[in-house]
Amino acid sequence: MSNGRGIAITAICNLSSADGNVTPQACSAWYALLLTQRTAGGKALPHFNTDDPGNGALTGCADFKSWEHHTPYFIPAQ
């Protein structure tokens, strides 16, 4: 994910166990979407709920730091 100042590696969910409200099945679907977009040269734009714990400080892309964990509430393909 580009945070506007380079690439930030951000965990968004867990393929093995539930992560907040995200099931492993939903995480697997997101992962498939992201891999498909990457292969096709497309993009995805995750949306984050700033009311969720851990997301409150997110006001823009530049707020993402490498190796953080932020769970989006949906990820549309662009």
Side-chain angles (χ1 to χ4, degrees), residues 7-78:
I7 303 298
I9 307 299
T10 302
I12 60 171
C13 59
N14 189 324
L15 292 168
S16 301
S17 61
D19 188 2
N21 293 327
V22 181
T23 65
Q25 294 82 5
C27 186
S28 180
W30 283 351
Y31 188 53
L33 167 89
L34 294 172
L35 289 177
T36 300
Q37 288 301 99
R38 180 179 176 184
T39 300
K43 295 181 181 184
L45 181 62
H47 292 260
F48 297 88
N49 182 351
T50 55
D51 291 334
D52 285 346
N55 290 346
L58 300 176
T59 60
C61 292
D63 294 328
F64 286 93
K65 312 290 186 288
S66 290
W67 307 113
E68 291 184 333
H69 182 164
H70 298 287
T71 303
Y73 62 93
F74 74 100
I75 307 175
Q78 301 287 300

